[in-house]
Amino acid sequence: MLKIVIAEDQKMLLGAIGSLLNLEVDMEVIGQAVNGDEVWRLIQEKQPDVCLLDIEMPGKSGLEVAGLLNKLKQRPRIIVLTTFAKPGYFEKAVKAGVDGYLLKDRSIEELTAAIRKVVHGEKVYSQELMVDYMCDPNPLSEREQEILRLVAEGKTTKELTNILYLSYGTIRNYLSEIMQKLEAKNRLEAVDIARNKGWI
């Protein structure tokens, strides 16, 4: 019997997925959570075989939980279930080491098939995300993403120099490079473009 924990902040959807999976003869939902902190506690307590994680939820995000799980010696298989088809999210999920990444508009048959596949060591990713990922990779380096995230928080160039221990000129060069890569007129437009693509 495959033991499953689900994290989903929409309670109606959480209940529906749980009920449908419990109808499968080889699956049992042993825990349900509506936020990242709760699911992290449940995983440690219940030791499931598979975790279904939403990306955006209160507390820890699904990707943060996936990152924590990958530090464990023995971890459950991780499938991200999301409404977000952005290649940036998919890229981050792959880097976080998830075993599956599926969109929520998929059928329960596709989900149960994916659960069985990841348990046997396969990776299961939505086909359209693979295509988008190949066509539209994130052009920003890790450092550039970090700088743009801080800009999105409202940090000034001077504040960036203190936070990142870089010179004023170096920060300006990074920002110039970011705007050039994203074909943005200014740093705020660069933030909007990167957010819409899921790159930060």
Side-chain angles (χ1 to χ4, degrees):
M1 187 70 80
L2 298 175
K3 296 180 294 179
I4 300 166
V5 163
I6 311 169
E8 166 60 60
D9 63 351
Q10 295 177 42
K11 289 183 181 177
M12 192 179 291
L13 186 57
L14 176 64
I17 293 171
S19 297
L20 289 167
L21 291 180
N22 275 330
L23 293 174
E24 300 294 314
V25 294
D26 58 342
M27 296 181 192
E28 180 189 5
V29 176
I30 58 169
Q32 299 184 14
V34 292
N35 65 62
D37 298 321
E38 192 182 339
V39 78
W40 174 237
R41 181 184 58 74
L42 269 177
I43 290 164
Q44 292 172 296
E45 184 184 305
K46 306 247 183 196
Q47 301 287 307
D49 301 304
V50 180
C51 297
L52 304 181
L53 302 176
D54 191 9
I55 285 189
E56 291 194 355
M57 46 185 177
K60 293 178 180 66
S61 72
L63 297 184
E64 286 173 320
V65 174
L68 289 170
L69 287 172
N70 272 310
K71 292 176 183 172
L72 302 177
K73 283 183 181 175
Q74 282 190 307
R75 69 156 177 85
R77 301 295 184 185
I78 307 162
I79 296 178
V80 168
L81 274 182
T82 182
T83 52
F84 300 103
K86 295 176 181 176
Y89 277 124
F90 178 60
E91 182 181 356
K92 287 174 188 169
V94 171
K95 284 181 180 172
V98 305
D99 303 289
Y101 192 109
L102 301 174
L103 298 177
K104 288 179 187 173
D105 62 1
R106 289 293 176 262
S107 68
I108 193 68
E109 288 78 17
E110 287 175 272
L111 176 57
T112 53
I115 289 170
R116 293 182 183 106
K117 283 179 181 175
V118 298
V119 166
H120 288 103
E122 294 182 50
K123 300 284 187 188
V124 183
Y125 303 133
S126 287
Q127 196 61 45
E128 62 267 45
L129 290 164
M130 292 292 290
V131 172
D132 287 342
Y133 179 55
M134 301 304 289
C135 296
D136 202 9
N138 190 344
L140 302 175
S141 68
E142 292 286 340
R143 177 64 98 178
E144 288 166 346
Q145 290 173 56
E146 183 183 17
I147 288 170
L148 207 52
R149 276 193 289 270
L150 290 168
V151 170
E153 291 171 13
K155 299 290 189 287
T156 64
T157 304
K158 189 168 187 298
E159 287 173 319
L160 291 175
T161 62
N162 295 329
I163 294 166
L164 301 171
Y165 304 104
L166 295 171
S167 72
Y168 193 87
T170 301
I171 294 289
R172 285 182 65 86
N173 287 341
Y174 269 119
L175 288 169
S176 175
E177 183 71 16
I178 289 166
M179 288 185 287
Q180 192 176 333
K181 283 182 177 181
L182 300 183
E183 298 178 2
K185 297 185 185 73
N186 55 54
R187 62 178 71 184
L188 294 180
E189 189 180 328
V191 167
D192 285 340
I193 291 167
R195 271 184 172 159
N196 286 335
K197 292 281 191 181
W199 290 338
I200 61 169

